[in-house]
Amino acid sequence: MGLRLIFLGPQGSGKGTQASRLARLMGVPHISTGEMLRQAVADGTELGKKADAIMQAGDLVLDDLVVAMVGERLSQNDAACGYILDGFPRNVAQAKALDEVLETPLDGLVQLDVPHEELMKRMLLRAEQEGRADDTEEGISRRLAIYWEETAPLSDYYRETDRQVFAVDGLGGIDEVFSRVALALAVE
Ligand code: ADP
């Protein structure tokens, strides 16, 4: 199994946690567009200024801005032998743009499956614990709606274009889910 992977999963699926753990195990960078954008907002960069209000509303930042940010990140040395992308692509337009900028094609996609009710429960708990600006009930619902509408169809896009798609059950503890991810990718 190659090391160029996308992690796909709805908000609250544990995607960030699992992606970061897998990246550590495989010795490749974990690239989270949500984290990069939050950092840009905190640093007050041009990109951050454009993204701030959009993120707070739970909407997607413009494809062109995010694609440029990811393209730049993937051109850095540490991503030369692989990476785990988390939070990107989020729609088919971004997936196509990614295919165009990549010199070495993606190896595949890991998709974490968690039922909607469980997601709302986990997200509201996270909102209490972390107090992220976009973790209001409205923001969460908005992000989940966008996920089902625009992001979930990505697994079909990747299947149709002959990439491997590994669907993993995301219910259970962090270790339990990680074992499933590792088993699916045969990296244990
Ligand atoms: P969550 O998975 O909880 O939505 P993220 O940290 O992945 O959290 O993303 C937070 C916000 O950053 C998103 O709601 C969106 O506004 C913005 N964002 C992150 N990745 C992308 C992307 N690929 N395209 C557009 N906007 C993005």
Side-chain angles (χ1 to χ4, degrees), residues 10-12 15 32-35 37-38 54-55 58-63 66 86-90 94 123 126 132 134-135 143:
Q11 291 70 18
K15 159 182 64 86
S32 154
T33 46
E35 266 171 36
L37 288 168
R38 277 190 290 282
I54 299 174
M55 290 173 73
D59 285 321
L60 293 186
V61 175
L62 273 182
D63 289 346
V66 184
D86 163 7
F88 180 92
R90 248 175 163 87
Q94 291 184 4
M123 289 294 292
R126 183 174 95 181
R132 229 173 72 176
D134 56 349
D135 274 354
R143 300 205 316 281

Side-chain angles (χ1 to χ4, degrees), residues 4 14 19 29 41 56-57 85-86 93 96 110 115 119-120 141 161 167 181 185:
R4 293 175 176 84
V41 172
Q56 288 213 30
L85 273 175
D86 163 7
K96 288 185 175 163
V110 180
L119 296 171
M120 279 311 279
S141 300
T161 49
V181 171
L185 296 169

Side-chain angles (χ1 to χ4, degrees), residues 65-158:
L65 295 178
V66 184
V67 168
M69 177 182 83
V70 172
E72 213 271 317
R73 179 66 189 84
L74 290 178
S75 70
Q76 289 171 20
N77 284 340
D78 65 339
C81 296
Y83 46 80
I84 311 280
L85 273 175
D86 163 7
F88 180 92
R90 248 175 163 87
N91 56 35
V92 173
Q94 291 184 4
K96 288 185 175 163
L98 177 65
D99 285 339
E100 272 166 30
V101 298
L102 288 181
E103 281 168 24
T104 312
L106 282 172
D107 293 307
L109 165 86
V110 180
Q111 180 189 315
L112 273 187
D113 293 323
V114 177
H116 188 84
E117 307 73 59
E118 171 72 13
L119 296 171
M120 279 311 279
K121 219 163 66 190
R122 291 188 190 177
M123 289 294 292
L124 290 171
L125 188 73
R126 183 174 95 181
E128 272 174 35
Q129 291 168 343
E130 293 179 14
R132 229 173 72 176
D134 56 349
D135 274 354
T136 57
E137 193 155 356
E138 215 184 334
I140 295 167
S141 300
R142 172 112 193 97
R143 300 205 316 281
L144 277 173
I146 295 176
Y147 179 83
W148 299 122
E149 218 174 284
E150 295 192 36
T151 312
L154 280 176
S155 57
D156 286 338
Y157 169 76
Y158 284 109

Side-chain angles (χ1 to χ4, degrees), residues 1-8 14-31 82-86 107-112 166 168 174 177-188:
M1 187 63 218
L3 300 173
R4 293 175 176 84
L5 291 175
I6 292 175
F7 238 86
L8 193 70
K15 159 182 64 86
T17 308
Q18 300 294 335
S20 125
R21 209 158 149 177
L22 182 65
R24 226 177 310 132
L25 179 73
M26 293 168 116
V28 296
H30 168 215
I31 301 177
Y83 46 80
I84 311 280
L85 273 175
D86 163 7
D107 293 307
L109 165 86
V110 180
Q111 180 189 315
L112 273 187
F166 304 92
V168 175
I174 291 176
V177 175
F178 189 68
S179 304
R180 288 184 205 132
V181 171
L183 194 70
L185 296 169
V187 292
E188 272 177 315

